[in-house]
Amino acid sequence: MTNGRQTADQSRPIRVLVVEDDPVTADAHVLYVGRVPGFVAVGKAHTGAEARRFLDRTPVDLLLLDLHLPDVHGLQLARSLRAAGHHADVIAVTSARDLAVVREGVSLGVVQYVLKPFTFATLRDRLARYAEFRGAAGEASGQDEVDRALAALRAPSPAALPKGLSGPTLERVTSALREAKEGLTAAGVAVTVGISRITARRYLEHLVEAGRAERKPVYGQVGRPELVYRWVSQGR
């Protein structure tokens, strides 16, 4: 929002600006936000410059901000927005796992980090907890109430994965796919990661559903076409 923080109004949805340079991913995030009660995606920007222009003309409560934009790092954008008097909170979306970046972001209004790839359930959880934190109003009766308000924001539940999938294996499959510029089949992922082909396909389909991978059939000389999976927006 512009020039001074506005008091939270519980009678209206929380206004979200999606800042993401990949058009497909940006559209997916807009759809995700729209599926969470109490939130509305008021726009999207593909660069830091677009985000600044949007904020100059439209009130926004929350930025869903990719940290790796083509013209500026997300934290540099957040810093410049603070200096210009914009006080929207920030949920950072990134594949980076540098804890120094996390610490820096805290001082710039980054209230949550969501690591790519993530599911709708993960983002829904973060947004719901942000809404709970934002909705806290009035004077705290004591330390316990302050702690409860902060806990809603700082202690999220573990990210929800489909039954049978694990976080460590998902990270290994993700890493294998990101490193394979030409893509991998389920059999190729199975060999690389050390899991069965059926299990590899379940993880790959999960990444496709989350918008972090794409699949295309490759036709050979005989037999059915084989599906090749490729990472979306590599290097992000």
Side-chain angles (χ1 to χ4, degrees):
M1 64 185 66
T2 59
N3 299 326
R5 183 183 296 276
Q6 300 178 7
T7 302
D9 181 358
Q10 302 306 311
S11 66
R12 63 164 176 79
I14 295 172
R15 299 163 298 199
V16 182
L17 173 64
V18 172
V19 186
E20 163 68 55
D21 72 319
D22 181 77
V24 174
T25 303
D27 288 343
H29 291 174
V30 167
L31 289 175
Y32 279 2
V33 171
R35 291 170 60 188
V36 181
F39 288 83
V40 59
V42 295
K44 58 186 175 182
H46 300 305
T47 67
E50 286 183 17
R52 292 189 192 96
R53 289 194 295 270
F54 189 96
L55 288 165
D56 284 339
R57 65 178 185 268
T58 306
V60 170
D61 303 308
L62 178 67
L63 299 180
L64 191 59
L65 175 64
D66 179 39
L67 294 188
H68 294 283
L69 299 171
D71 58 340
V72 66
H73 190 277
L75 292 186
Q76 292 176 337
L77 174 62
R79 186 178 295 107
S80 67
L81 292 176
R82 287 289 180 268
H86 298 285
H87 296 288
D89 292 319
V90 176
I91 292 181
V93 178
T94 180
S95 59
R97 289 166 168 75
D98 187 346
L99 292 179
V101 173
V102 174
R103 289 193 296 271
E104 182 182 358
V106 170
S107 65
L108 297 173
V110 177
V111 296
Q112 289 280 10
Y113 277 82
V114 183
L115 292 180
K116 296 179 178 179
F118 60 86
T119 64
F120 166 67
T122 297
L123 182 61
R124 180 183 58 198
D125 176 76
R126 298 304 191 271
L127 291 179
R129 290 178 176 276
Y130 170 74
E132 182 180 349
F133 170 77
R134 180 182 172 83
E139 184 175 347
S141 59
Q143 184 68 50
D144 287 347
E145 191 168 343
V146 172
D147 290 343
R148 283 195 297 272
L150 291 175
L153 192 60
R154 298 301 182 189
S157 301
L161 285 174
K163 185 177 180 180
L165 302 190
S166 72
T169 302
L170 178 60
E171 288 189 7
R172 288 158 55 201
V173 171
T174 297
S175 177
L177 201 59
R178 287 176 66 114
E179 293 174 4
K181 294 182 179 180
E182 302 302 320
L184 287 172
T185 63
V189 170
V191 171
T192 302
V193 177
I195 55 179
S196 72
R197 180 174 179 173
I198 294 176
T199 299
R201 185 177 296 278
R202 289 191 62 200
Y203 281 94
L204 290 167
E205 289 297 325
H206 169 70
L207 290 174
V208 170
E209 182 180 347
R212 304 314 304 149
E214 61 181 8
R215 60 175 179 266
K216 292 184 179 179
V218 174
Y219 294 87
Q221 294 181 347
V222 294
R224 299 175 60 185
E226 194 167 23
L227 291 176
V228 174
Y229 297 81
R230 291 182 176 85
W231 183 254
V232 172
S233 301
Q234 293 198 12
R236 299 179 55 73

